[in-house]
Amino acid sequence: MEDIDAIAALQDPVRRRLYEYVVAQGREVGRNEAAEAAGVARTLAAHHLDRLTEAGLLESGSRRLTGRSGPGAGRPAKVYTRARAERAVSLPARDYRTAAELLAEAAEQAGLDAGLCAAARRRGEALRGSAAPCSDLEEAMAMLAARGYEPHLESVAGIPDAEGAKEATGEAAAVVRMRNCPFHAVAERFPPLVCGMNLALLEGLLGADGPVRARMDARPGECCVVVKSSKNNID
């Protein structure tokens, strides 16, 4: 019932807007920033953010938002990030995670990596259907967002692009990273197998021979795959 209660906390529209904003930032978010983004008063935002923390959907901490320390730096402010725990509800109860872990364990022990990747690539192609390979990073981001990857544009130097997807796709250094891995729970136990499967799936989905390419580039806290434009020459 805890997962049901946690997800039910998002029924309130203001609370949901606040949660979605915090999650989309991929960093700590203060109350003032969240309130401004959701278009509500700071006191109301604080109430809902704390409710989301109590429900286990967010984690809270405190730090000085000015970046300064010592006398005159001000009091630490409360900040929020997405909780690391996963929440899922299935009625009636189902346990697909255990099945996935057992299948992954069997595939790894039997050395079926190549067969799994081939199947994943075919599935990605089937999901794309008759559509041509993605033509640019903006189109790729839309496809990835629809699959729950939470994509965001980033420069090679790691500085987020503030100009938006359409303008940034013309920049040679732009790449797409993903804050969420839909296979995270199984990938933690079987990283080479599942990350290879994920790469193959995205190659099929985006088009392995098109102008947009999926590449392995693991980074803590994010999906192991990044998406680059073949025009960038930054592999």
Side-chain angles (χ1 to χ4, degrees):
M1 296 297 293
E2 288 184 2
D3 283 357
I4 295 177
D5 292 339
I7 294 172
L10 296 173
Q11 184 175 0
D12 183 277
V14 174
R15 199 172 297 159
R16 176 123 185 206
R17 288 203 307 273
L18 288 164
Y19 174 78
E20 290 176 345
Y21 179 78
V22 172
V23 166
Q25 304 317 301
R27 56 173 172 78
E28 294 176 330
V29 175
R31 288 172 168 176
N32 288 341
E33 179 185 349
E36 183 177 353
V40 298
R42 182 184 184 279
T43 52
L44 181 60
H47 166 73
H48 285 305
L49 289 167
D50 286 340
R51 286 290 304 274
L52 289 166
T53 302
E54 292 169 5
L57 295 172
L58 296 180
E59 294 178 356
S60 64
S62 61
R63 67 178 177 86
R64 289 186 173 90
L65 299 179
T66 61
R68 302 194 307 270
S69 60
R75 297 176 59 186
K78 201 163 187 179
V79 292
Y80 302 84
T81 57
R82 174 164 48 189
R84 288 173 290 234
E86 294 184 7
R87 299 289 182 178
V89 174
S90 178
L91 298 173
R94 297 288 188 262
D95 190 4
Y96 299 113
R97 175 174 173 175
T98 296
E101 290 178 347
L102 288 171
L103 290 169
E105 182 178 355
E108 187 174 73
Q109 290 178 353
L112 299 178
D113 304 56
L116 177 61
C117 287
R121 192 170 289 106
R122 290 193 299 270
R123 175 59 63 90
E125 292 170 350
L127 291 171
R128 178 159 49 90
S130 60
C134 283
S135 59
D136 55 35
L137 294 183
E138 184 178 13
E139 184 180 351
M141 287 182 69
M143 295 184 71
L144 293 167
R147 307 285 320 162
Y149 282 91
E150 299 182 6
H152 64 102
L153 276 166
E154 185 177 277
S155 76
V156 172
I159 302 173
D161 192 292
E163 296 301 320
K166 189 168 185 178
E167 291 79 10
T169 52
E171 296 293 330
V175 299
V176 174
R177 288 191 176 271
M178 293 164 272
R179 293 194 174 99
N180 182 51
C181 172
F183 317 110
H184 174 72
V186 186
E188 278 195 316
R189 288 196 58 189
F190 308 96
L193 181 76
V194 178
C195 290
M197 177 201 74
N198 187 27
L199 174 62
L201 177 70
L202 293 183
E203 286 175 340
L205 180 67
L206 303 176
D209 299 322
V212 172
R213 309 286 179 84
R215 294 287 185 267
M216 195 73 76
D217 188 7
R219 192 165 74 176
E222 294 188 336
C223 178
C224 58
V225 178
V226 300
V227 177
K228 305 177 181 181
S229 171
S230 60
K231 302 174 184 178
N232 290 350
N233 292 320
I234 54 176
D235 288 337

